[in-house]
Amino acid sequence: MKFQTYLIKYGEIGIKGKNRYMFEDALVRQIRHSLKDLDGLFHTYKAQGRVYVDCDGDYDGDEVVEALKRVFGIVGICPVVRVEDKGFEELKKDVIAYMDEVYPDKNITFKVEARRSRKSYPLNSMEISRDLGEAILYAFPESGIKVDVHHPDVMVNVEVRNEIYVYSQIIPGAGGMPVGTNGSAMLLLSGGIDSPVAGYMVSKRGVSLEATYFHAPPYTSERAKQKVVDLAKKVAKYSGPIKLHVVNFTDIQLYIYEKCPHDELTIIMRRYMMRIAEHFAKEDGCLGLITGESIGQVASQTMQSLAATNDVCTMPVYRPLIGFDKQEIVDVSEKIGTYETSIQPYEDCCTIFTPRHPLAKHPVTKPNIDVIRRSEENLNEKIDELMKQAIETVEIIEVK
Ligand code: ATP
Ligand code: MG
């Protein structure tokens, strides 16, 4: 059976009045964006307080559903069969054929719910519901099919518009809010498992994303950078286009290595990452930073380390994974399709700092902010110039 329309269900809590229009318009925009590269002709529109996607041409229904499942703000996707109005007797036949095909096992309870947006239709909603229900029962005697008006397994919706829309299935959507309804934020995107998930989670709340990646050529390869671009592409399937800033961090890292105590390198490096990411965030009007940090996951993510990193930021830093265990993060990354890319073995930019000597010091796990600030004073001579260079030589990649 070919579904020609998808009726989009969205959560309505808190979206009354003016917000409702904003929400629906953003939803329509995001749906159009998600379908733009698929074969077929799609018409996405609002009507009677609902959003519909009409499909035409040579489209693949499964592909359409997959794309819609990545649009935040959609709670459910209902595949609709559209039938021409050729009189009520014909409609009965169509609805019976629909039930037969969609529910080969008829051991179910059902209820028909009709709506008329075309009031000139000869029967009213109650009559349509009642007569269609009866027709279905008579069509499948002794199949086990029954009516249950209170808790039916299947709600058969029949909407009389210019054509007649029949649907009963609801495919769960991604939930959340349409991207573009809640400003934008800057994701610190590494090649790991966590940060793509963090970006996904904030974007789910309607926030559009930009991203910053720090690499350290020649210590990190082109391939490591490509991995981050690939991850951004996967996140962009949900969030929409991402402006990715690729920052050459080598000179700053080497300078920190030369001037600062080696057990503080990771923390100091993180502080410079935050400062630079915040610079780009402000430039583009972002309202916050996003990281993939989670309390206690590694030495640089103890509460003290997080405080030391946070110390240099003036914008809010959103850490949506803060209370997640690693396995919970992995589960989301598998669900959204970033995991396979994240586990590719390419070096991270902190590898410059990996202690080469067996007696090398372990990183501090409880940094003291005053101590760290004092260590950073060792960088006074050249750090402003190096930051300026890193910012000026940024490479921008528009990831779609
Ligand atoms: P991830 O899987 O996101 O890399 P991680 O477990 O490796 O996380 P860390 O390396 O401690 O954790 O990084 C913590 C956070 O700092 C990351 O989630 C990311 O937001 C940011 N970050 C780390 N390295 C980079 C980098 N090279 N470029 C941009 N952001 C980074
Ligand atoms: Mg990492």
Side-chain angles (χ1 to χ4, degrees):
M1 176 170 301
K2 188 120 180 162
F3 298 108
Q4 304 103 325
T5 289
Y6 293 89
L7 166 65
I8 304 302
K9 302 226 167 203
Y10 48 89
E12 302 197 35
I13 298 163
I15 52 159
K16 305 219 158 62
K18 202 172 114 228
N19 284 343
R20 185 186 174 103
Y21 285 97
M22 244 183 61
F23 185 100
E24 288 173 342
D25 289 346
L27 188 60
V28 167
R29 209 167 43 237
Q30 292 306 116
I31 291 173
R32 285 182 184 148
H33 178 77
S34 78
L35 299 174
K36 76 177 184 339
D37 294 332
L38 300 191
D39 288 338
L41 296 167
F42 305 105
H43 178 45
T44 306
Y45 58 98
K46 304 192 287 182
Q48 289 112 27
R50 286 148 169 253
V51 171
Y52 297 89
V53 181
D54 286 347
C55 309
D56 252 307
D58 196 11
Y59 65 94
D60 173 340
D62 293 340
E63 250 180 34
V64 174
V65 170
E66 279 315 304
L68 293 174
K69 276 164 99 175
R70 289 192 295 260
V71 177
F72 294 132
I74 295 181
V75 171
I77 304 153
C78 306
V80 178
V81 171
R82 268 171 15 214
V83 296
E84 222 183 298
D85 179 12
K86 293 193 227 132
F88 193 62
E89 287 309 310
E90 284 303 311
L91 178 61
K92 278 187 191 167
K93 287 187 198 151
D94 289 331
V95 171
I96 288 166
Y98 171 92
M99 290 302 284
D100 204 18
E101 192 163 337
V102 178
Y103 302 99
D105 174 7
K106 308 228 168 18
N107 207 355
I108 50 169
T109 61
F110 76 99
K111 173 184 178 181
V112 178
E113 181 127 302
R115 275 163 61 110
R116 279 188 319 169
S117 54
R118 172 154 58 90
K119 299 292 177 203
S120 61
Y121 197 74
L123 280 74
N124 70 26
S125 304
M126 282 242 301
E127 292 162 342
I128 301 172
S129 304
R130 189 194 57 209
D131 292 358
L132 285 178
E134 219 173 70
I136 294 170
L137 278 179
Y138 284 135
F140 308 109
E142 286 160 46
S143 63
I145 201 163
K146 283 195 209 64
V147 170
D148 180 343
V149 289
H150 300 295
H151 304 288
D153 300 328
V154 173
M155 181 73 92
V156 185
N157 294 277
V158 176
E159 256 180 69
V160 179
R161 309 173 63 197
N162 284 333
E163 290 170 298
I164 298 172
Y165 285 42
V166 182
Y167 61 92
S168 62
Q169 296 159 298
I170 304 182
I171 300 160
M177 307 189 71
V179 172
T181 50
N182 270 322
S184 64
M186 175 66 75
L187 169 66
L188 281 88
L189 181 62
S190 69
I193 294 171
D194 307 334
S195 44
V197 173
Y200 163 87
M201 290 187 63
V202 173
S203 177
K204 183 165 185 259
R205 299 307 305 160
V207 177
S208 14
L209 298 181
E210 295 199 15
T212 305
Y213 165 59
F214 296 90
H215 70 155
Y219 302 93
T220 62
S221 62
E222 249 332 272
R223 196 61 198 80
K225 175 175 133 189
Q226 186 57 43
K227 176 184 174 185
V228 173
V229 174
D230 293 345
L231 283 172
K233 268 189 199 151
K234 299 225 154 144
V235 176
K237 285 192 167 204
Y238 294 88
S239 68
I242 296 176
K243 178 177 173 188
L244 173 64
H245 304 68
V246 179
V247 178
N248 185 330
F249 205 47
T250 314
D251 290 344
I252 294 178
Q253 267 190 296
L254 291 174
Y255 190 49
I256 298 173
Y257 191 77
E258 183 191 327
K259 297 285 186 186
C260 299
H262 286 188
D263 59 344
E264 295 170 8
L265 295 178
T266 309
I267 293 295
I268 294 176
M269 172 187 84
R270 278 269 183 284
R271 284 162 59 97
Y272 279 97
M273 284 186 179
M274 297 304 253
R275 287 176 171 114
I276 294 174
E278 186 173 278
H279 170 90
F280 293 124
K282 282 189 176 152
E283 212 169 62
D284 287 349
C286 296
L287 298 172
L289 303 174
I290 308 165
T291 74
E293 291 159 313
S294 141
I295 293 174
Q297 197 189 79
V298 286
S300 57
Q301 296 178 30
T302 60
M303 296 269 274
Q304 292 85 346
S305 299
L306 291 170
T309 315
N310 209 56
D311 177 53
V312 299
C313 302
T314 59
M315 276 187 179
V317 181
Y318 296 107
R319 300 179 174 89
L321 308 181
I322 202 70
F324 275 45
D325 296 341
K326 192 72 186 187
Q327 188 57 48
E328 292 172 308
I329 302 172
V330 166
D331 290 347
V332 182
S333 77
E334 284 178 331
K335 187 183 91 179
I336 66 174
T338 52
Y339 183 72
E340 286 303 318
T341 310
S342 289
I343 58 171
Q344 289 170 6
Y346 299 105
E347 64 294 326
D348 193 34
C349 75
C350 351
T351 29
I352 300 187
F353 290 161
T354 313
R356 288 176 199 104
H357 194 277
L359 295 177
K361 278 193 184 172
H362 282 297
V364 277
T365 53
K366 295 182 179 171
N368 175 303
I369 293 183
D370 294 325
V371 173
I372 298 287
R373 284 184 187 157
R374 233 171 294 135
S375 302
E376 280 183 357
E377 284 171 14
N378 299 338
L379 303 169
N380 282 347
E381 194 188 329
K382 286 208 302 200
I383 195 68
D384 287 349
E385 183 52 35
L386 291 178
M387 292 258 287
K388 191 161 160 258
Q389 254 174 41
I391 287 167
E392 281 172 3
T393 59
V394 64
E395 178 192 357
I396 304 285
I397 303 177
E398 299 286 351
V399 179
K400 294 203 168 72

